[in-house]
Amino acid sequence: MAVRLPNALRLPLSPSSQLRFKNERRFVALRCSAEYQTLSSSDHSKLVLEVKEKLQRDFPSLATGKNGRDDEEMILWFLKDRKFSVEEAVYKLSKAIKWRQDFGVSGLSEELVKELYQTRKAYVHDHLDKFGRPVLVVVGSKHLPARQDPVMNQKLCVLLVERALSKLPPGTNNILGIFDLRGFGAENGDFQFLKFLIDVFYYYYPKRLGQVLFVDAPFVFQPMWQLVKPLLKSYASLVRFCDVETVRREYFTDDTVPQDFKY
């Protein structure tokens, strides 16, 4: 039986040993990553089938069909997200499919969220960006949590995410999110909604958000960012603070830039 030494009796590693240990861990991580990348289509198919059979056996009540427990494209996406761990993919997929059922994703429509939809507080842009990604724009100054139904805000959010993803061209896997923060004030701050948005992309649409632009963020937005940033974890690297000119120049052409960002 292994004996665990009290903290006080453990000898600290020397700086060179610490470095060697760190490098060894990094090598293992890189080797595993390389193994995932070298999986063949046949390997993918076997793992997809394994996940599908496990979902059918362990979660027979989950929906089938598009975005259901037998949707092979969705299964493969979650396998990639979970680095091809069948157990982790099954766990995350089962949660995501149940959430879609409980939230009523398939029943979302413009009519259901008509009042909020017409405010143009958020919308899917008609054109792709320069990198071929669908674009979801959020206008921060039009988000008024004290006056708007939080449940309807969530439904509008998911409806637009679904719409953006439906515009993915072949070979493109993620979308661009633009938060227009011009005119953002304290009355627009909504930590609970931002947390919902983070959870949506992390748990239910993993790796579907390619980049997030915070455009012309005012000083009043900084406290909100400090609260949200730790929740993003590795996803924080997707965030870029920029100005309107950067949006115009680096992400769109004169013909494709959203109306709100034109000169």
Side-chain angles (χ1 to χ4, degrees), residues 88-257:
E88 290 185 23
V90 166
Y91 177 80
K92 196 166 184 177
L93 255 173
S94 63
K95 298 290 185 184
I97 297 170
K98 187 174 189 308
W99 170 80
R100 293 182 69 89
Q101 291 178 216
D102 295 344
F103 195 84
V105 175
S106 62
L108 295 177
S109 66
E110 288 180 23
E111 188 62 31
L112 182 65
V113 292
K114 183 177 180 179
E115 186 176 340
L116 284 180
Y117 187 85
Q118 291 179 339
T119 66
R120 294 279 289 176
K121 64 181 287 181
Y123 58 92
V124 176
H125 184 40
D126 293 333
H127 300 283
L128 305 177
D129 72 357
K130 283 185 177 180
F131 305 96
R133 299 175 297 193
V135 181
L136 175 57
V137 180
V138 178
V139 183
S141 63
K142 293 183 179 181
H143 182 70
L144 302 167
R147 297 186 231 165
Q148 296 165 347
D149 185 334
V151 174
M152 288 297 106
N153 273 325
Q154 293 178 4
K155 290 184 182 298
L156 174 64
C157 165
V158 175
L159 172 66
L160 294 178
V161 170
E162 286 280 312
R163 182 163 296 177
L165 291 176
S166 72
K167 296 181 65 174
L168 284 171
T172 302
N173 297 317
N174 50 54
I175 67 177
L176 171 67
I178 301 179
F179 284 77
D180 183 355
L181 297 175
R182 291 172 293 178
F184 182 92
E187 70 277 11
N188 307 122
D190 190 348
F191 176 76
Q192 290 305 317
F193 178 74
L194 284 175
K195 186 177 183 302
F196 168 80
L197 189 59
I198 292 167
D199 286 347
V200 161
F201 277 107
Y202 181 81
Y203 293 108
Y204 313 130
Y205 301 96
K207 290 184 170 59
R208 290 303 194 185
L209 193 58
Q211 190 174 22
V212 177
L213 304 181
F214 285 156
V215 184
D216 284 342
F219 180 77
V220 71
F221 179 74
Q222 295 306 315
M224 179 69 64
W225 171 241
Q226 294 306 316
L227 287 173
V228 169
K229 187 176 180 180
L231 301 178
L232 291 171
K233 300 178 182 177
S234 62
Y235 280 71
S237 63
L238 302 179
V239 174
R240 179 184 184 185
F241 285 82
C242 64
D243 58 20
V244 173
E245 180 57 31
T246 300
V247 175
R248 295 190 194 112
R249 184 180 66 254
E250 297 187 21
Y251 294 89
F252 299 96
T253 66
D254 291 342
D255 294 330
T256 63
V257 66

